[in-house]
Tab-separated table of all heavy atoms in Angstrom:
chain	number	residue	atom	x	y	z
A	284	GLY	N	14.353	-69.708	-13.463
A	284	GLY	CA	15.355	-68.917	-14.166
A	284	GLY	C	15.416	-67.482	-13.714
A	284	GLY	O	16.113	-66.661	-14.326
A	285	ALA	N	14.711	-67.131	-12.633
A	285	ALA	CA	14.671	-65.754	-12.141
A	285	ALA	C	15.432	-65.634	-10.827
A	285	ALA	O	15.570	-66.611	-10.078
A	285	ALA	CB	13.232	-65.308	-11.949
A	286	ALA	N	15.919	-64.415	-10.542
A	286	ALA	CA	16.665	-64.202	-9.302
A	286	ALA	C	16.547	-62.750	-8.855
A	286	ALA	O	16.283	-61.847	-9.658
A	286	ALA	CB	18.140	-64.570	-9.490
A	287	VAL	N	16.749	-62.550	-7.547
A	287	VAL	CA	16.902	-61.200	-7.011
A	287	VAL	C	18.356	-60.797	-7.275
A	287	VAL	O	19.286	-61.551	-6.973
A	287	VAL	CB	16.605	-61.161	-5.496
A	287	VAL	CG1	16.819	-59.752	-4.949
A	287	VAL	CG2	15.180	-61.636	-5.216
A	288	HIS	N	18.538	-59.630	-7.839
A	288	HIS	CA	19.889	-59.198	-8.203
A	288	HIS	C	20.786	-59.149	-6.976
A	288	HIS	O	20.370	-58.740	-5.898
A	288	HIS	CB	19.833	-57.818	-8.872
A	288	HIS	CG	21.111	-57.425	-9.520
A	288	HIS	ND1	21.860	-56.348	-9.113
A	288	HIS	CD2	21.787	-57.984	-10.559
A	288	HIS	CE1	22.939	-56.242	-9.880
A	288	HIS	NE2	22.914	-57.210	-10.761
A	289	GLU	N	22.030	-59.558	-7.148
A	289	GLU	CA	22.952	-59.664	-6.014
A	289	GLU	C	23.422	-58.313	-5.491
A	289	GLU	O	23.831	-58.196	-4.341
A	289	GLU	CB	24.162	-60.516	-6.411
A	289	GLU	CG	23.790	-61.978	-6.668
A	289	GLU	CD	24.991	-62.830	-7.047
A	289	GLU	OE1	26.063	-62.239	-7.294
A	289	GLU	OE2	24.841	-64.057	-7.083
A	290	LYS	N	23.364	-57.268	-6.321
A	290	LYS	CA	23.801	-55.942	-5.888
A	290	LYS	C	22.649	-55.041	-5.476
A	290	LYS	O	22.816	-54.187	-4.597
A	290	LYS	CB	24.602	-55.255	-7.008
A	290	LYS	CG	26.000	-55.793	-7.210
A	290	LYS	CD	26.753	-54.906	-8.199
A	290	LYS	CE	28.193	-55.354	-8.360
A	290	LYS	NZ	28.936	-54.470	-9.293
A	291	GLN	N	21.502	-55.199	-6.123
A	291	GLN	CA	20.360	-54.317	-5.862
A	291	GLN	C	19.113	-55.180	-5.692
A	291	GLN	O	18.589	-55.721	-6.660
A	291	GLN	CB	20.188	-53.312	-7.004
A	291	GLN	CG	18.944	-52.458	-6.962
A	291	GLN	CD	18.717	-51.755	-5.646
A	291	GLN	OE1	18.080	-52.296	-4.750
A	291	GLN	NE2	19.207	-50.523	-5.548
A	292	ALA	N	18.652	-55.282	-4.452
A	292	ALA	CA	17.541	-56.180	-4.137
A	292	ALA	C	16.231	-55.763	-4.778
A	292	ALA	O	15.297	-56.560	-4.867
A	292	ALA	CB	17.364	-56.274	-2.618
A	293	LEU	N	16.155	-54.520	-5.230
A	293	LEU	CA	14.919	-54.031	-5.839
A	293	LEU	C	14.753	-54.527	-7.272
A	293	LEU	O	13.680	-54.397	-7.862
A	293	LEU	CB	14.912	-52.498	-5.812
A	293	LEU	CG	13.621	-51.764	-6.142
A	293	LEU	CD1	12.462	-52.254	-5.289
A	293	LEU	CD2	13.814	-50.265	-5.964
A	294	VAL	N	15.799	-55.125	-7.823
A	294	VAL	CA	15.785	-55.557	-9.217
A	294	VAL	C	15.677	-57.079	-9.300
A	294	VAL	O	16.472	-57.798	-8.694
A	294	VAL	CB	17.068	-55.090	-9.946
A	294	VAL	CG1	17.070	-55.582	-11.389
A	294	VAL	CG2	17.170	-53.566	-9.907
A	295	LEU	N	14.690	-57.560	-10.047
A	295	LEU	CA	14.572	-58.977	-10.345
A	295	LEU	C	15.135	-59.198	-11.734
A	295	LEU	O	14.904	-58.393	-12.640
A	295	LEU	CB	13.107	-59.427	-10.283
A	295	LEU	CG	12.338	-59.111	-8.992
A	295	LEU	CD1	10.961	-59.773	-9.019
A	295	LEU	CD2	13.121	-59.535	-7.759
A	296	VAL	N	15.870	-60.299	-11.912
A	296	VAL	CA	16.562	-60.516	-13.184
A	296	VAL	C	16.211	-61.860	-13.808
A	296	VAL	O	15.858	-62.820	-13.111
A	296	VAL	CB	18.099	-60.416	-13.016
A	296	VAL	CG1	18.505	-59.037	-12.533
A	296	VAL	CG2	18.620	-61.498	-12.064
A	297	ASN	N	16.288	-61.876	-15.122
A	297	ASN	CA	16.168	-63.101	-15.910
A	297	ASN	C	17.575	-63.642	-16.105
A	297	ASN	O	18.406	-63.014	-16.764
A	297	ASN	CB	15.518	-62.794	-17.258
A	297	ASN	CG	15.425	-63.995	-18.182
A	297	ASN	OD1	15.908	-65.072	-17.877
A	297	ASN	ND2	14.801	-63.800	-19.329
A	298	GLN	N	17.854	-64.813	-15.544
A	298	GLN	CA	19.209	-65.353	-15.620
A	298	GLN	C	19.498	-66.046	-16.942
A	298	GLN	O	20.559	-66.637	-17.108
A	298	GLN	CB	19.444	-66.305	-14.450
A	298	GLN	CG	19.440	-65.592	-13.112
A	298	GLN	CD	19.945	-66.474	-11.993
A	298	GLN	OE1	19.456	-67.574	-11.786
A	298	GLN	NE2	20.943	-65.992	-11.270
A	299	GLY	N	18.556	-65.975	-17.846
A	299	GLY	CA	18.809	-66.515	-19.174
A	299	GLY	C	17.621	-67.204	-19.796
A	299	GLY	O	17.367	-67.051	-20.987
A	300	HIS	N	16.885	-67.936	-18.984
A	300	HIS	CA	15.762	-68.693	-19.532
A	300	HIS	C	14.523	-68.570	-18.652
A	300	HIS	O	13.694	-69.493	-18.609
A	300	HIS	CB	16.145	-70.165	-19.699
A	300	HIS	CG	17.351	-70.371	-20.575
A	300	HIS	ND1	17.295	-70.239	-21.947
A	300	HIS	CD2	18.637	-70.664	-20.272
A	300	HIS	CE1	18.500	-70.452	-22.455
A	300	HIS	NE2	19.332	-70.720	-21.454
A	301	ALA	N	14.376	-67.482	-17.956
A	301	ALA	CA	13.222	-67.294	-17.079
A	301	ALA	C	11.943	-67.126	-17.890
A	301	ALA	O	11.941	-66.507	-18.960
A	301	ALA	CB	13.428	-66.084	-16.182
A	302	THR	N	10.874	-67.668	-17.384
A	302	THR	CA	9.550	-67.444	-17.952
A	302	THR	C	8.857	-66.349	-17.158
A	302	THR	O	9.307	-65.976	-16.063
A	302	THR	CB	8.705	-68.722	-17.886
A	302	THR	OG1	8.483	-69.056	-16.493
A	302	THR	CG2	9.403	-69.884	-18.584
A	303	GLY	N	7.739	-65.872	-17.687
A	303	GLY	CA	6.944	-64.919	-16.931
A	303	GLY	C	6.500	-65.507	-15.607
A	303	GLY	O	6.461	-64.820	-14.578
A	304	ASP	N	6.179	-66.789	-15.600
A	304	ASP	CA	5.762	-67.472	-14.370
A	304	ASP	C	6.882	-67.491	-13.334
A	304	ASP	O	6.634	-67.374	-12.129
A	304	ASP	CB	5.310	-68.901	-14.672
A	304	ASP	CG	3.960	-68.962	-15.382
A	304	ASP	OD1	3.233	-67.953	-15.348
A	304	ASP	OD2	3.646	-70.015	-15.973
A	305	ASP	N	8.133	-67.647	-13.792
A	305	ASP	CA	9.271	-67.624	-12.863
A	305	ASP	C	9.376	-66.274	-12.168
A	305	ASP	O	9.567	-66.192	-10.941
A	305	ASP	CB	10.581	-67.900	-13.616
A	305	ASP	CG	10.727	-69.341	-14.064
A	305	ASP	OD1	10.024	-70.213	-13.525
A	305	ASP	OD2	11.560	-69.594	-14.962
A	306	ILE	N	9.263	-65.218	-12.956
A	306	ILE	CA	9.369	-63.864	-12.388
A	306	ILE	C	8.218	-63.619	-11.416
A	306	ILE	O	8.410	-63.061	-10.328
A	306	ILE	CB	9.371	-62.795	-13.491
A	306	ILE	CG1	10.501	-63.037	-14.506
A	306	ILE	CG2	9.466	-61.398	-12.887
A	306	ILE	CD1	11.884	-62.815	-13.982
A	307	VAL	N	7.016	-64.035	-11.788
A	307	VAL	CA	5.849	-63.852	-10.920
A	307	VAL	C	6.029	-64.594	-9.603
A	307	VAL	O	5.775	-64.047	-8.517
A	307	VAL	CB	4.564	-64.325	-11.631
A	307	VAL	CG1	3.403	-64.447	-10.636
A	307	VAL	CG2	4.190	-63.358	-12.744
A	308	ALA	N	6.471	-65.840	-9.667
A	308	ALA	CA	6.652	-66.631	-8.449
A	308	ALA	C	7.719	-66.007	-7.545
A	308	ALA	O	7.555	-65.962	-6.315
A	308	ALA	CB	7.028	-68.065	-8.810
A	309	LEU	N	8.791	-65.515	-8.146
A	309	LEU	CA	9.839	-64.861	-7.368
A	309	LEU	C	9.309	-63.581	-6.731
A	309	LEU	O	9.543	-63.330	-5.535
A	309	LEU	CB	11.025	-64.549	-8.273
A	309	LEU	CG	12.188	-63.791	-7.617
A	309	LEU	CD1	12.806	-64.623	-6.501
A	309	LEU	CD2	13.248	-63.426	-8.661
A	310	ALA	N	8.604	-62.770	-7.509
A	310	ALA	CA	8.050	-61.521	-6.987
A	310	ALA	C	7.065	-61.793	-5.855
A	310	ALA	O	7.025	-61.059	-4.858
A	310	ALA	CB	7.366	-60.745	-8.114
A	311	ARG	N	6.277	-62.834	-5.988
A	311	ARG	CA	5.321	-63.198	-4.940
A	311	ARG	C	6.043	-63.567	-3.641
A	311	ARG	O	5.650	-63.148	-2.549
A	311	ARG	CB	4.429	-64.350	-5.408
A	311	ARG	CG	3.336	-64.727	-4.410
A	311	ARG	CD	2.486	-65.878	-4.925
A	311	ARG	NE	1.687	-65.476	-6.095
A	311	ARG	CZ	1.794	-66.030	-7.290
A	311	ARG	NH1	2.671	-67.009	-7.513
A	311	ARG	NH2	1.029	-65.608	-8.281
A	312	HIS	N	7.119	-64.315	-3.770
A	312	HIS	CA	7.902	-64.704	-2.595
A	312	HIS	C	8.516	-63.477	-1.922
A	312	HIS	O	8.505	-63.354	-0.688
A	312	HIS	CB	9.001	-65.690	-2.996
A	312	HIS	CG	9.898	-66.081	-1.863
A	312	HIS	ND1	9.504	-66.955	-0.877
A	312	HIS	CD2	11.173	-65.685	-1.549
A	312	HIS	CE1	10.488	-67.110	-0.004
A	312	HIS	NE2	11.513	-66.346	-0.392
A	313	VAL	N	9.073	-62.585	-2.722
A	313	VAL	CA	9.660	-61.360	-2.185
A	313	VAL	C	8.597	-60.551	-1.456
A	313	VAL	O	8.811	-60.085	-0.318
A	313	VAL	CB	10.298	-60.528	-3.310
A	313	VAL	CG1	10.681	-59.142	-2.803
A	313	VAL	CG2	11.513	-61.242	-3.890
Side-chain angles (χ1 to χ4, degrees):
V287 178
H288 192 244
E289 293 181 350
K290 286 188 176 182
Q291 172 51 271
L293 192 53
V294 178
L295 306 187
V296 299
N297 177 356
Q298 294 192 306
H300 303 285
T302 64
D304 287 343
D305 288 342
I306 303 291
V307 167
L309 177 63
R311 184 180 293 119
H312 177 75
V313 170

